[in-house]
Every structure is written in C-alpha cells, then in structure tokens.
Amino acid sequence: MRSSRRRSHRRYTSSREARHGELLSQVIREGYGEATWSYGYVETLSYVGSNLLSHQRAVKWLITAICTQPEALTFLRTLKLARTDLDDPRPLACFRGLRELDVSRTAVKSLDWVGAFPALRRVDVSGCALPKGALKEAMALNPRVTFASSKS
C-alpha cells in the first residue's frame, strides 16, 4: 500500500513540475517574458509590463507558479518584474541565489522584505510609492544591497 502511494505521489509531483516548466516555456515562447539560460538553467527571468499600457501587468499568478516548484529556477540570479502589479516580493525569497531584483514601478510600498533574500545585491525600486525614510532605513539595515531609486 505504501509503495503505491509513493508512486502516485511521484507521478503527481512530476506532472506538476512538467506543467510549471511548460507554463514558463509558454510565457517565453509567446513573448510575454524573456529568459537567459546557462548550462540548461534559467539565470535571468524578465516579465516586464509595457509603458504603452495604462495598467500594470498581472504577475501574481506567475509568482505562485514559479514559487511552487522553485527547482526549475535553482540558479536564477536576476529577476525583472518592473511595471507589474507586484506588491509583496517575499514569496520570491525561495530563490536563495537571487542577486538582482527589479521591482521598479510596481505596487511595492515597503522594503522590510529585503533581508529575506540572502544573496541579494541590487534592488531597483524606482517609481515605487515608498514611505518617506523607507529607502534610507533599508539601506542602513541591508548594507550589502545597492538600491536604485528615483528618490534620494
């Protein structure tokens, strides 16, 4: 009985992995996103909204999909989600090697999540509605991280 459960679980897990890999491939193939590959792994993923749209591109579904099976993006180093409806980057901390995160012109309103990313070195928060003093506080708490911002 146990072995049949294990086989069933393996089939379910591998079908989920296949779906997320297929979903990511479809996003890239249809021109919604771009990826840079290195040795068979995604190193850079870009899913950026357009300046021509009057609204931000919906991204929460993609975050849910890629964070459910982060193994497919084990070596992800750069993630660009500019001009999307992203309001909380915390789920992306599952990508332990992420070094660069572009959340410019998104709905991000705080920077208290930066410490959850152990390898993060650069964050772009240009155009985000951050409270006064939030950027200076984040810089003091996270000296290893360089922040790009339209505010000083």
Side-chain angles (χ1 to χ4, degrees), residues 73-147:
L73 300 169
T74 300
F75 297 104
L76 184 65
R77 299 294 179 252
T78 304
L79 183 57
K80 299 176 183 179
L81 299 172
R83 294 184 298 277
T84 62
D85 66 351
L86 178 69
D87 57 356
D88 185 12
R90 279 181 194 87
L92 299 169
C94 65
F95 303 113
R96 308 298 290 167
L98 192 63
R99 293 186 186 130
E100 192 171 328
L101 182 59
D102 181 355
V103 293
S104 60
R105 292 164 186 75
T106 62
V108 169
K109 292 188 172 101
S110 77
L111 296 173
D112 58 352
W113 49 267
V114 175
F117 293 79
L120 199 59
R121 297 295 176 258
R122 184 177 186 286
V123 178
D124 189 345
V125 290
S126 303
C128 291
L130 299 172
K132 189 174 185 175
L135 190 58
K136 286 184 182 180
E137 182 181 338
M139 291 167 79
L141 291 172
N142 305 285
R144 74 183 191 290
V145 180
T146 302
F147 291 90

Side-chain angles (χ1 to χ4, degrees), residues 29-109:
R29 184 175 52 250
E30 292 183 8
Y32 292 108
E34 295 178 5
T36 303
W37 299 78
S38 178
Y39 299 105
Y41 292 97
V42 176
E43 194 171 78
T44 302
L45 179 61
S46 177
Y47 184 79
V48 177
S50 171
N51 284 334
L52 303 175
L53 297 175
S54 61
H55 62 279
Q56 295 173 318
R57 177 177 270 180
V59 73
K60 292 173 187 170
W61 67 271
L62 180 63
I63 291 172
T64 301
I66 64 177
C67 290
T68 302
Q69 292 291 327
E71 295 83 12
L73 300 169
T74 300
F75 297 104
L76 184 65
R77 299 294 179 252
T78 304
L79 183 57
K80 299 176 183 179
L81 299 172
R83 294 184 298 277
T84 62
D85 66 351
L86 178 69
D87 57 356
D88 185 12
R90 279 181 194 87
L92 299 169
C94 65
F95 303 113
R96 308 298 290 167
L98 192 63
R99 293 186 186 130
E100 192 171 328
L101 182 59
D102 181 355
V103 293
S104 60
R105 292 164 186 75
T106 62
V108 169
K109 292 188 172 101

